[in-house]
Amino acid sequence: MADREKLDALSLLREGLRYEGTGASHVFVILGASGDLAKKKIYPTLWWLYRDGLVPEKTYFIGYARSKMSMEDIRQKALPFMKVKDSEKQKMEEFFKVNEYIAGSYDKPDGFAKLDKAIEEKGSCNRIFYLALPPSVYETVTLNLKAGCMSKGDKWARIVVEKPFGKDLESSNQLSNHLGALFKEEEIYRIDHYLGKEMVQNLMVLRFANKIFSPVWNRDGIASVVISFKEPFGTQGRGGYFDEFGIIRDVMQNHLLQILTLVAMEKPPSTGAEDIRNEKVKVLKSISQVELDNVVLGQYVGNPEGQGDEKQGYLDDPTVPKGSATPTFVTAVLMVKNERWEGVPFILRCGKALNERKAEVRIQFKDVAGDIFPSREVKRNELVIRVQPDEAVYLKMMTKSPGMTFGCEETELDLSYKSRYKDSKLPDAYERLILDVFTGSQIHFVRSDELYEAWRIFTPLLHK
Ligand SMILES: NC(=O)C1=CN([C@@H]2O[C@H](COP(=O)(O)OP(=O)(O)OC[C@H]3O[C@@H](n4cnc5c(N)ncnc54)[C@H](OP(=O)(O)O)[C@@H]3O)[C@@H](O)[C@H]2O)C=CC1
Ligand SMILES: O=C1O[C@H](COP(=O)(O)O)[C@@H](O)[C@H](O)[C@H]1O
C-alpha cells in the first residue's frame, strides 16, 4: 500500500476508534473458518490489514467451525491466497501468533461458551463476528452468539453477514426480522463486496464533485445506462450453491443493483451512512418490479472446439443437478420512475462463462440536436466507468480530425488508473470493508430497507 493511502487508512482507523479509549483490544471471530471464503478472502484480508498496521493494536483472531482442525491446518489452507513476500515472513509469524482456532457446533451452546471464554481471556474487548457460513445456519449461529458471546460493559459487538441475504422477499424478510430481533441495525454489517471496489466508491465523487456532470445527469441528457458484469469462467465446482441461486440472485439483485442506486440516486445531504442509504432507498422505491418481457435469460453451453474449460457447459459440471434450467446469464431492463429518470432504460447484464472478465457502467448521452456537420458522423458521448479489470474512467467524445480537414472523429478523454496513478496499489474490496467494520462505518454496507426493496424488485421475476 502506498504511504499516502496507508496514512489515510490509519487516520480513518484512529478516527473510528477515537471514543473507545486507548488500549481497548478487539477480537475478530471468523465463523466458518474451515471454509472456502475464509481461506480465500477473510484470512488473507486480515493478514494484509495486520501487515499494514491497519487493525487496532491488541487485536486477536479466532476461527470457529465444526471441523476438528488445528490453526496450522487453517494456515496451510489460507497461505496460497495470502501473497506473503519473503521479507514479510517474520510479520506473518506474528500474525499467526495472535490467531487461534476453536472447534464447536453451530446449534449447541457448549461451543459458543468455549468461544466466549477464549474471548474473555483476551480482556475487555470489542467483538466482531464474521459469518463466513452458509445462510442455512445463520439463525442458529446468531441466536447462540446473542445468548453467549456478546461484549460486556461499554464494549461493542458487530455482526458481519455475507450474501445471499435470503432467496426472495419472504425469506429475506424472515432473516431480517430474525437479525433485527437480536441486534440493532448499527450492529449488523451486510457485506456486498462490490461496494468496496474503488470505482464503485468513485461513483459518488464523479457525480457530486464535478460541476460538468450535474446539469446533464438526467432524462434530458442521458439516453441509457448499461451496467454489466462478465466473468470468463463458469461455476468451477460451486454448482451446488449456484444452481440453488442462479445469476439474478448471485450478481444482479445485489452487485449490479447497488451500482444502479449510486448512479441514479439524488445527492445526499452529507456523506454520512444514513444520508447516503436514505437516498439509495428512495431510488429503489421508484423502480417497479422487473417484468419477464424485459428480461433475456440464458445458460452457457460447452464449445466442442474450445480450449480447456470452454468445452464444459453448465450442465457438464458434476456439481450441477441434471437438466437444471438455472440461468447463468441475464439481461434486464429496469425503469426508475421519478422526475429525473422517467423513460431512461437502465440495462443490467451479467453472466458467467463469457468471453472476458469485465464490470463496467456505460452512461450513454443523447444525440446532439441539430447536427450541423455534413458528414453526419457525430456519435453520442459516452461516459464509461470501468470497475474491473484495469480501473478507468473515460469519456467518448467527438473532436475535429486533426489537420486540414473539418471532419469529426470520436476520441476518448481517458483516465486509466494504471497510467495516472502508477504508484498506487488499490486495496482489495474486502480490505476496505473489513476496515470499515473496525471503524464502525456503514456507508458501504447494505441497510435492511435497501435489501427489502431489492428483493421486491426481483422476487416476482424469480418466482416466474
Ligand atoms: N466462497 C466464496 O467465494 C464466496 C462466498 N460467499 C458467501 O460466504 C458464505 C460462506 O461461503 P463458503 O466459505 O464458500 O462456504 P462453505 O461451503 O465453504 O462453508 C463454510 C463452512 O461452513 C460449514 N458448513 C458448510 N456447509 C454446512 C452446512 N450445510 N451446515 C452447517 N455448516 C456447514 C463448513 O464448516 P464446518 O463443517 O467445519 O463447520 C464450511 O467449512 C456463504 O454465505 C457464501 O454465499 C460470498 C461471496 C463469495
Ligand atoms: O459475489 C460474487 O461475486 C463474484 C465476482 O466477484 P469479483 O469481485 O471477482 O468480480 C462471483 O464470481 C460470484 O459468483 C458471486 O457470488
Side-chain angles (χ1 to χ4, degrees), residues 163 193-194 197 229 231 238 250 255 352 357 388:
K163 70 172 248 282
H193 77 281
Y194 266 60
K197 292 193 186 259
F229 164 96
E231 232 172 26
R238 279 180 82 211
D250 193 44
H255 305 329
K352 291 204 166 262
R357 175 173 186 256
Q388 64 190 31

Side-chain angles (χ1 to χ4, degrees), residues 21 35 59 74-75 87 117 140-141 158 163 173 219 315 323 356 388 392 394 452:
T59 296
I74 301 265
R75 170 173 165 152
S87 57
K117 186 163 172 281
T140 45
V141 167
R158 293 176 185 150
K163 70 172 248 282
N173 283 349
R219 62 196 299 267
L315 297 178
E356 60 183 343
Q388 64 190 31
Y394 55 95
Y452 174 89

Side-chain angles (χ1 to χ4, degrees), residues 203-359:
L203 282 166
M204 274 188 58
V205 180
L206 289 173
R207 286 195 56 199
F208 302 125
N210 288 299
K211 178 67 186 158
I212 52 169
F213 295 129
S214 51
V216 286
W217 208 268
N218 52 44
R219 62 196 299 267
D220 300 327
I222 291 177
S224 68
V225 177
V226 181
I227 303 173
S228 50
F229 164 96
K230 295 202 264 180
E231 232 172 26
F233 51 85
T235 40
Q236 292 190 318
R238 279 180 82 211
Y241 153 80
F242 187 87
D243 199 74
E244 202 187 329
F245 288 87
I247 193 74
I248 300 176
R249 293 183 180 95
D250 193 44
V251 174
M252 187 175 279
Q253 179 268 357
N254 35 71
H255 305 329
L256 299 197
L257 194 62
Q258 281 293 331
I259 295 178
L260 185 156
T261 60
L262 291 165
V263 172
M265 72 183 192
E266 297 300 313
K267 187 175 184 169
S270 78
T271 55
E274 297 323 319
D275 283 343
I276 294 172
R277 297 192 297 180
N278 288 344
E279 294 304 333
K280 287 166 79 185
V281 171
K282 274 194 224 158
V283 171
L284 290 169
K285 282 187 168 165
S286 304
I287 302 176
S288 38
Q289 297 167 352
V290 185
E291 300 292 338
L292 194 55
D293 285 350
N294 291 334
V295 173
V296 175
L297 298 168
Q299 188 186 75
Y300 66 88
V301 291
N303 173 7
E305 273 132 46
Q307 306 284 313
D309 281 356
E310 282 173 51
K311 288 189 194 301
Q312 302 294 310
Y314 179 66
L315 297 178
D316 299 322
D317 181 335
T319 59
V320 168
K322 289 213 176 338
S324 164
T326 297
T328 64
F329 175 88
V330 60
T331 296
V333 182
L334 274 64
M335 303 303 288
V336 181
K337 294 202 172 131
N338 64 16
E339 199 174 347
R340 182 183 288 272
W341 295 114
E342 178 87 55
V344 180
F346 283 76
I347 302 160
L348 271 48
R349 343 181 264 189
C350 49
K352 291 204 166 262
L354 296 178
N355 61 329
E356 60 183 343
R357 175 173 186 256
K358 189 179 271 185

Side-chain angles (χ1 to χ4, degrees), residues 111-124:
F112 290 88
K114 242 193 317 182
L115 175 61
D116 188 58
K117 186 163 172 281
I119 302 173
E120 289 283 298
E121 280 165 9
K122 314 286 180 271
S124 168

